[in-house]
Amino acid sequence: MRRFLAGCGLAFVISFCGCQSTQLSVEDRERHREEELALKERHLNRIQSVETSIYESMELLAAEVADYNRDELQGYSGAVFVTDLFYPFELSGVAEERGIGSRVVARHVFEGSPADEAGLMLGDQLLRLNGKRVPRGEQGARFIVGKLKKLWLVDQPNTVVVDRNGRELTLEIEAKNSVYYSVVVTPFLDDEELVYAEGKAIYFSLDGLEDLEEAELLYVCAYALVQNVMKHARMKGQNELFGGVIDIAAMLYGVNMGGVFGNLGRNVHKLGFLIESDVLALYALASAGTDIEKYPFYWEERMIDERGQLSRANQERIDAMRQVISEIEAKRQAGEPIYPTEYLLSLIHI
C-alpha cells in the first residue's frame, strides 16, 4: 500500500510536470531527463560505495564476534543479496538498470568465500535454495532479511538455482557458520542517529558514514554488529538488567569492572546496552587488529552537546570505554588472548 500511494503521488508529479514541460523544447526536455538520470545515478553510487565499505567491515568483524553468542550463528554463503526495495523508491529505475529489481540478486560476493568458490557471480538472480522457491518483490526483501540464512545447510552442499542473463544454472555452495545481517544504507535515519540495529538488519545513515575514516567505520560497524549478536533489540523489550548483579558476577569470574556496571539499573534500556556494545565492540576491534585507542575520542565527539559538555550517562560510557581499553592492553602485555571471556561468563551466570 505504501508503495502504491507513493506511486500515485509520483504519477501526479509526473503528470503535472508533463503539463508544464509542454512549454519546453524537445532538446530542453531531453537535457532535463539526462540531468535527472545523472543525479539519481550519483545518489545510487554514493549508497553503493558506502554499502561496499560496510560489507567489507562486517565480514572482517563477523569472524571475531561469532562466538560471543552462538545462538546467533547461522548459515552464511559469503554473498550479499538484495532487491530494489533495499534502495530509495525514486532510485528503483536506476537500480533495475544495474540488475537490481524485484528479484533477489547477488549484490556482493566475497573473494574466497563458499559462494565465490562455487561460481556465484554478481547479478545472479536467486531462484531456489535447497528446493525452496525464492519469492520476489516485497516478499523477496523479507525473505533476504528473515529467512534466507535459516535455509543454508552448514558444512554440506546447498543446491542453489540462479538465473544468469536468462540462463538457469545450478550451483552447489557449502555454507559456513557465521553471524550475518542485512545492511541498508538510508538517508532516512534521524539527524543524530548514525546506525540502528533492529535485530535482523542494520540500518546505516548515508550522510553520517560517507566521510568516516576506515577505522571510524569499523568502530561504527562493530558497535552495531554486537548489538544484533547480543540481541539488544529484543532484550530491550523484556526483563530489566541490574548492574550490581553484573558487577558481582564479573568479579566472581576474575574481572574487576570497577563498578562501571553498578549503575545499569538506571536507564538500563539505554546506558546498559550501550556500554555492553562498547565493551564487546572494543574486544572485537582489538582482536581484528584495529587500533582502539581513538574509539573513546570518536564517540565523545559525537556525544558532546551544544555547550561542549557530556551528560552524566555519556561520561559513564566514555569512562567504561577507557577502562576496557586498559584491560585489553593488560591482556596484550601478558600475552593473553584478546577475548571478553570473563565478561561473557558473567552474563551467562546472571
Side-chain angles (χ1 to χ4, degrees):
M1 178 62 70
R2 178 175 58 83
R3 293 202 68 172
F4 172 76
L5 292 175
C8 290
L10 183 61
F12 172 79
V13 172
I14 292 174
S15 175
F16 177 79
C17 291
C19 294
Q20 297 297 313
S21 65
T22 56
Q23 302 175 17
L24 301 176
S25 68
V26 174
E27 292 80 6
D28 287 340
R29 291 199 298 271
E30 182 61 28
R31 185 173 63 255
H32 178 70
R33 281 194 294 268
E34 290 176 354
E35 290 172 351
E36 286 293 314
L37 178 60
L39 181 63
K40 291 178 179 179
E41 287 179 341
R42 286 195 297 272
H43 190 45
L44 185 56
N45 287 340
R46 289 175 59 202
I47 291 175
Q48 292 192 329
S49 176
V50 172
E51 267 183 349
T52 299
S53 297
I54 294 171
Y55 294 152
E56 292 171 351
S57 298
M58 289 293 190
E59 178 77 358
L60 171 66
L61 294 165
E64 307 302 333
V65 306
D67 289 335
Y68 288 5
N69 182 3
R70 296 193 67 83
D71 290 342
E72 284 292 282
L73 288 177
Q74 298 191 59
Y76 175 56
S77 69
V80 177
F81 294 93
V82 300
T83 73
D84 58 350
L85 291 180
F86 279 64
Y87 301 94
F89 178 80
E90 65 271 18
L91 302 183
S92 58
V94 179
E96 189 166 3
E97 289 182 359
R98 300 186 184 184
I100 303 173
S102 62
R103 292 188 179 276
V104 174
V105 62
R107 162 77 178 91
H108 193 91
V109 180
F110 288 98
E111 185 177 353
S113 68
D116 181 41
E117 293 177 353
L120 187 73
M121 298 180 65
L122 295 182
D124 282 353
Q125 295 178 351
L126 188 58
L127 303 180
R128 290 185 295 280
L129 173 57
N130 292 327
K132 174 72 174 180
R133 186 182 67 83
V134 177
R136 59 193 300 178
E138 185 172 343
Q139 291 302 314
R142 293 180 183 275
F143 177 86
I144 294 169
V145 174
K147 296 182 179 180
L148 178 58
K149 56 188 175 184
K150 297 179 181 179
L151 293 177
W152 289 109
L153 305 174
V154 178
D155 296 330
Q156 55 183 301
N158 292 267
T159 303
V160 180
V161 180
V162 301
D163 181 310
R164 181 179 298 165
N165 299 322
R167 291 180 56 215
E168 195 169 294
L169 303 174
T170 300
L171 307 174
E172 281 196 352
I173 300 177
E174 189 169 309
K176 61 181 180 180
N177 258 334
S178 188
V179 290
Y180 166 76
Y181 305 96
S182 294
V183 165
V184 179
V185 177
T186 173
F188 302 119
L189 291 180
D190 293 340
D191 290 341
E192 297 183 359
E193 194 166 15
L194 190 64
V195 60
Y196 173 59
E198 58 86 34
K200 294 181 179 179
I202 304 178
Y203 297 83
F204 291 87
S205 166
L206 174 61
D207 292 337
L209 266 65
E210 273 190 308
D211 296 327
L212 295 188
E213 298 178 359
E214 182 180 352
E216 293 173 336
L217 179 60
L218 281 168
Y219 295 164
V220 175
C221 288
Y223 168 77
L225 181 60
V226 295
Q227 288 183 53
N228 271 4
V229 169
M230 302 307 290
K231 301 182 179 180
H232 286 179
R234 188 170 72 182
M235 291 172 64
K236 285 177 183 177
Q238 297 178 351
N239 297 330
E240 291 190 353
L241 302 178
F242 294 92
V245 176
I246 294 178
D247 273 333
I248 293 170
M251 286 188 289
L252 286 175
Y253 284 87
V255 56
N256 182 7
M257 299 307 292
V260 297
F261 294 99
N263 296 318
L264 293 193
R266 296 196 325 266
N267 200 18
V268 66
H269 291 328
K270 183 176 182 181
L271 180 58
F273 289 117
L274 291 177
I275 292 178
E276 180 176 283
S277 299
D278 291 324
V279 170
L280 297 179
L282 283 165
Y283 268 96
L285 290 161
S287 60
T290 301
D291 181 5
I292 59 175
E293 290 296 325
K294 295 181 180 178
Y295 186 93
F297 297 100
Y298 170 74
W299 289 109
E300 184 174 14
E301 187 175 334
R302 291 192 57 82
M303 296 175 193
I304 290 176
D305 61 25
E306 61 275 5
R307 297 172 299 173
Q309 298 178 348
L310 286 173
S311 67
R312 182 175 177 180
N314 283 335
Q315 186 61 62
E316 288 184 38
R317 185 179 165 196
I318 295 297
D319 291 344
M321 293 177 194
R322 293 190 169 121
Q323 180 176 324
V324 172
I325 290 173
S326 295
E327 292 173 356
I328 290 173
E329 182 57 29
K331 286 188 175 185
R332 195 189 308 278
Q333 293 293 332
E336 299 176 9
I338 307 302
Y339 187 82
T341 306
E342 303 89 350
Y343 180 73
L344 293 176
L345 281 173
S346 73
L347 293 181
I348 291 172
H349 291 83
I350 289 175

